[in-house]
Amino acid sequence: GLPAISVEEAQQFRAELEAAEAKQGESSNTFLLEGHTRWPFMHKLVTSPAILDAVQDLIGPNLLIWDAQAFVKEPQTPSFISWHQDTNYWGLDPDDGIVTAWVALSDVTAENGPMEFLRGSHMEPLRAQEDTYERTNMLSRGQEIVWEKPIDPNEVHQVILRPGQFSLHHVRLAHKSGPNQGSDRRIGI
């Protein structure tokens, strides 16, 4: 992972997220959609210079933060995110110059459902996705890629991050994350 903020700053952002959850009385998964437009701590996080500089290095200086939301997986729960491509999920076209930054506010380990990337999939044609409405799938309609052949496990990369680190991926990159089997919340923005 790339360093975005310090571990201490990540802990502070996590505390602010959890305070917002307590105030709202619900999971930040539901109320922090477009959170950068309504919550000052979210705006501060997603405009961190390290994140903006890394994105600018990839796509140039004209940046727009289209969305910022929380993906929180509670410990020992079956919630997962199926294989998908953000460009299909969001319905964006064209998809050139669109990057997703994912910032960890907690440890992201193999045990607690890290993102998994399918190497090189952003260079291939978009894959068809179906709406499954699987209740434990954290995507709004349970969108899932319809695979024509089995995935080669050697082409899958787990994204392990420490609090304050981030990853970047192209919106065409196929990715997923499994359930959190750990003892702490897995929190990403």
Side-chain angles (χ1 to χ4, degrees):
L2 303 166
I5 55 176
S6 70
V7 171
E8 294 76 24
E9 289 171 306
Q11 291 168 340
Q12 179 59 40
F13 283 122
R14 178 180 177 161
E16 292 185 59
L17 178 139
E18 290 176 337
E21 288 176 322
K23 181 179 179 182
Q24 296 293 316
E26 61 184 324
S27 168
S28 55
N29 290 333
T30 57
F31 72 84
L32 277 183
L33 302 174
E34 298 173 349
H36 65 297
T37 64
R38 296 177 290 193
W39 296 88
F41 77 92
M42 287 281 287
H43 184 268
K44 185 177 178 183
L45 175 61
V46 302
T47 59
S48 298
I51 297 170
L52 296 181
D53 289 348
V55 172
Q56 184 173 320
D57 286 348
L58 293 174
I59 64 173
N62 246 347
L63 302 181
L64 168 71
I65 299 171
W66 180 66
D67 192 14
Q69 65 186 82
F71 280 97
V72 178
K73 289 185 190 172
E74 299 299 336
Q76 301 296 312
T77 57
S79 297
F80 73 100
I81 297 173
S82 57
W83 282 109
H84 68 284
Q85 292 168 298
D86 291 339
T87 193
N88 279 341
Y89 177 56
W90 293 331
L92 299 174
D93 185 39
D95 56 25
D96 292 337
I98 303 173
V99 176
T100 296
W102 197 97
V103 185
L105 296 185
S106 65
D107 276 313
V108 179
T109 66
E111 183 181 48
N112 69 6
M115 274 199 298
E116 298 180 43
F117 294 161
L118 183 59
R119 288 186 182 100
S121 57
H122 63 294
M123 304 292 281
E124 299 171 0
L126 286 176
R127 291 172 165 80
Q129 294 184 168
E130 66 179 356
D131 296 343
T132 68
Y133 296 97
E134 161 63 46
R135 72 172 183 78
T136 58
N137 191 331
M138 294 176 68
L139 298 180
S140 60
R141 298 181 312 276
Q143 300 90 314
E144 186 167 351
I145 291 175
V146 179
W147 295 103
E148 296 173 7
K149 60 182 181 178
I151 297 170
D152 178 353
N154 295 319
E155 294 301 316
V156 176
H157 173 74
Q158 283 192 333
V159 183
I160 306 300
L161 300 170
R162 298 276 302 136
Q165 291 184 325
F166 72 107
S167 65
L168 295 172
H169 65 270
H170 191 280
V171 293
R172 293 176 67 101
L173 186 75
H175 59 288
K176 72 170 193 113
S177 63
N180 181 354
Q181 302 301 316
S183 59
D184 189 19
R185 305 175 90 196
R186 196 225 55 186
I187 304 173
I189 303 295

